[in-house]
Amino acid sequence: MTDVRYATSPDEMATLSPEELRGRFLVADLFAAGELRFAFSQQDRLLIGGAVPAGGTLELTAPDEVRAENLCDRRELGIVCLEGQGTVRADGTEHAVRAEDIVYVGQGTKAVAVSGDAVFYIVSAPAHRSYPTTLIPRSEAETVSIGEADKASARTLRKYVHDKGVQSCELALGITTLEPGSVWNTMPCHTHDRRTEIYLYFGLDAGERVVHLCGQPARTRSMIVADRRR
């Protein structure tokens, strides 16, 4: 069963208890060995998923919420290899991937599957036209160094799917890596009124946590987030 989330107004968000805030915005248990799991947001109709083939193969089938025979009939996908090595197969074409490689899968693709000893994160948005399915290795992503070490914000941003890179209808995908000694990703706070932004935190040790600030800039709320919980 798909985890379905609904939109929240700024006024409502300010009234949520810590437990309600986490229940509304934090997706837990997305990654399970041998399973494909989805969470569906009615905000922009975004779909996220976790696929852990555990050495086997998992077909990326469409959940009931997208009302389609195939996942990409009216949608596009970004498939992120979080760790390990594996394969993404799209309509018979195989793409070998390793940690922090991404495969963009275009609208109209009929059969998509992942395999190998890897952990895959999936992001999908509605699409109105087809762009080519493309492998973007980590080494070929556009890389930008931003932030300042003396403000604990030095970080590397790798852009994979964006307007000057691999084309898409709605998706924009990137990976940010904090440099040693830095703890801030974005500060001051910024808003995303034009589109939904989804964060996945990964690569954290068992005892490490992320403080995620959300809400309106003058009324921020916080959540403490562990590894692979977005």
Side-chain angles (χ1 to χ4, degrees):
M1 182 176 180
T2 302
D3 181 0
V4 179
R5 304 298 175 97
Y6 296 90
T8 303
S9 74
D11 288 341
E12 181 187 8
M13 185 171 185
T15 68
L16 296 175
S17 69
E19 293 76 18
E20 290 170 331
L21 187 70
R22 294 177 70 84
R24 190 71 64 90
F25 291 99
L26 187 68
V27 177
D29 302 322
L30 193 62
F31 302 94
E35 294 186 30
L36 168 66
R37 295 183 175 183
F38 283 120
F40 183 73
S41 173
Q42 295 288 3
Q43 187 90 8
D44 293 336
R45 298 187 62 78
L46 292 176
L47 181 72
I48 64 170
V52 187
T57 298
L58 290 174
E59 302 289 337
L60 303 191
T61 54
D64 293 341
E65 288 74 16
V66 306
R67 304 291 193 272
E69 180 179 354
N70 302 297
L71 184 54
C72 289
D73 282 353
R74 297 182 299 275
R75 304 182 73 85
E76 57 190 359
L77 298 178
I79 303 176
V80 185
C81 179
L82 297 182
E83 65 176 54
Q85 297 184 47
T87 301
V88 175
R89 186 176 73 247
D91 281 347
T93 300
E94 295 190 347
H95 304 277
V97 294
R98 60 182 63 205
E100 298 190 15
D101 293 345
I102 293 180
V103 178
Y104 169 81
V105 181
Q107 179 265 336
T109 304
K110 298 301 182 185
V112 185
V114 295
S115 60
D117 293 310
V119 175
F120 295 96
Y121 175 56
I122 301 154
V123 187
S124 174
H128 58 274
R129 61 169 293 180
S130 179
Y131 286 102
T133 295
T134 306
L135 166 65
I136 315 112
R138 182 181 189 272
S139 60
E140 295 180 15
E142 180 183 340
T143 302
V144 181
S145 296
I146 51 180
E148 302 171 61
D150 61 355
K151 294 183 179 179
S153 64
R155 57 201 187 274
T156 299
L157 171 61
R158 290 180 176 85
K159 302 178 182 180
Y160 291 78
V161 180
H162 59 108
D163 59 349
K164 296 181 181 178
V166 171
Q167 295 293 293
S168 71
C169 293
E170 299 289 340
L171 283 179
L173 285 174
I175 296 176
T176 299
T177 304
L178 291 176
E179 300 303 324
S182 289
V183 296
W184 287 110
N185 180 10
T186 55
M187 182 59 69
C189 300
H190 60 285
T191 59
H192 292 280
D193 289 337
R194 294 186 298 112
R195 64 184 182 191
T196 300
E197 182 156 334
I198 299 173
Y199 289 86
L200 171 73
Y201 301 105
F202 67 99
L204 279 70
D205 292 335
E208 294 181 330
R209 295 293 184 270
V210 169
V211 178
H212 182 95
L213 301 178
C214 52
Q216 294 176 299
R219 305 168 74 186
T220 57
R221 308 293 304 278
S222 64
M223 290 187 290
I224 307 300
V225 184
D227 185 58
R228 295 187 198 169
R229 295 195 173 194
R230 63 120 320 272

